[in-house]
Amino acid sequence: MGYSIARLTLGLVIFPHGAQKLLGLFGGYGYTATMESFTTQMGLPSFIAFSIIIIEFFGSISLILGLFSRFWAVSLIGMFIGIIYTTQLAHGFFMNWFGNQAGEGYEYSLLIIGLALTIMVNGSGTWSIDKLISKKQ
């Protein structure tokens, strides 16, 4: 049951970020503006920018459902390692709670990576589509 909790927590935390980027929900800018920002302002290749949007949106939904959870966990680990190295490492460990840093630290990213590692190592948990699929084989 604990692995299901880790998977659901990770999926629920990442979903709003993906919905912002793809659909413009939760105060986000939507797909076109996000792609524009990632490629022109941040200088990311289009493939990487697209991958981030897909991983955050469809990966989070798949994690909530427990479908291909290890794949999405590995994808999130890779994505957040990239985020740490490209934008957060220079700002140190702590998040920018009070706006007194030039950017966000990597504290949050380490929590995401830790949850994703738990899922990668242990699987989706009891309440998951992955578990249903494995029982039928």
Side-chain angles (χ1 to χ4, degrees), residues 55 63 67-76 119-120 130:
I55 290 167
L63 283 168
L67 181 63
F68 307 123
S69 296
R70 283 188 165 114
F71 169 79
W72 292 112
V74 169
S75 299
L76 282 168
I119 296 161
M120 186 185 81
D130 288 342

Side-chain angles (χ1 to χ4, degrees), residues 2 14 42 54 58 92 107 115 124 134:
I14 297 297
M42 295 181 73
I54 296 303
F58 293 106
E107 178 179 23
L115 281 171
S124 296
S134 68

Side-chain angles (χ1 to χ4, degrees), residues 99-116:
N100 56 1
Q101 296 172 193
E104 296 290 341
Y106 52 88
E107 178 179 23
Y108 169 82
S109 294
L110 289 180
L111 292 171
I112 296 299
I113 290 169
L115 281 171

